Amino acid sequence: MTGEVVDIEHDPARSAPVANIAFDDGEQRLVLAPEGVGVGDTVEVGISATIEPGNTLPLGEIPEGVPVCNVESQPGDGGTFARATGVNATLVTHERDVAVVQLPSGSVRRLSPDCRATIGVVAGGGRTEKPFVKAGNKYHKMKSRGTKWPNVRGVAMNAVDHPFGGGGRQHPGQPKSVSRDAPPGRKVGDIASKRTGRGGGKGGDNE
């Protein structure tokens, strides 16, 4: 199946641009836009698609070493991995009934060869290199994401507001490790931590 890129749009819910594609069957869909894909370009979806940026194929049909993005974790789920701006996964090798993919984090996943992926790198790379400069820019970004912001450190609060608050200087005042059974007002810091770096074990690996 082939389609034409009608427009490159901004999605307020994500930082990467999306491409509005009109397919031959009359349906229009929004997909993640890889680098190099512009208005008027033709993209292909299917087993016989060519290995070019923007085309979507099953992993079993993609040559080894090709950068891919929007990789499915299960056949038909629409894409799970390598969806952030400027990132891509790499198809490492094909094995019997398995395609080995290295994700942007460096971890390696063994996926079904029927899982689809888009050729190329997600557009919008270099986004994190530009500083926010002022708090207002950070505020508007966090508001659009629905993220709790700003995050105030517990040691910077008053004693009435947080178990780590108060004191003549900023320090927790008590161990940051608390029991899993601690009450809600006390359960701050490292919850039921097993490795704290303290104690007499080798390398702080007491458990």
Side-chain angles (χ1 to χ4, degrees):
M1 186 168 59
T2 61
E4 181 181 353
V5 180
V6 179
D7 191 16
I8 302 294
E9 302 179 4
H10 168 68
D11 184 356
R14 70 176 70 249
S15 51
V18 293
N20 189 352
I21 301 179
F23 288 98
D24 294 338
D25 58 0
E27 186 176 357
Q28 286 195 4
R29 295 183 182 179
L30 294 174
V31 300
L32 283 177
E35 290 183 357
V37 174
V39 177
D41 292 348
T42 300
V43 297
E44 301 175 356
V45 178
I47 297 177
S48 59
T50 58
I51 308 299
E52 294 182 1
N55 293 348
T56 302
L57 302 85
L59 291 174
E61 305 297 329
I62 301 177
E64 298 175 357
V66 173
V68 294
C69 61
N70 198 22
V71 184
E72 293 181 337
S73 60
Q74 299 290 336
D77 67 5
T80 304
F81 304 120
R83 293 167 55 90
T85 55
V87 305
N88 69 276
T90 303
L91 184 59
V92 179
T93 183
H94 296 103
E95 297 180 5
R96 184 177 182 181
D97 298 331
V98 169
V100 181
V101 177
Q102 184 176 23
L103 302 181
S105 62
S107 63
V108 176
R109 290 293 185 97
R110 298 166 63 86
L111 304 175
S112 168
D114 296 329
C115 291
R116 294 172 297 178
T118 302
I119 306 297
V121 181
V122 181
R127 171 182 55 85
T128 58
E129 298 174 4
K130 179 182 177 182
F132 284 103
V133 179
K134 59 182 183 179
N137 291 339
K138 185 68 173 289
Y139 165 79
H140 289 298
K141 180 198 173 181
M142 291 302 182
K143 187 175 182 180
S144 68
R145 296 293 189 273
T147 305
K148 183 181 180 298
W149 187 86
N151 291 320
V152 181
R153 292 171 296 127
V155 293
M157 297 181 184
N158 296 321
V160 69
D161 297 320
H162 196 277
F164 290 171
R169 55 192 174 89
Q170 292 187 359
H171 65 106
Q174 57 251 336
K176 294 181 66 177
S177 299
V178 296
S179 168
R180 178 75 67 190
D181 301 324
R186 174 63 265 166
K187 191 174 288 188
V188 295
D190 300 325
I191 310 299
S193 56
K194 296 181 179 180
R195 299 185 180 185
T196 64
R198 297 181 295 110
K202 296 182 179 179
D205 289 340
N206 287 340
E207 294 189 5

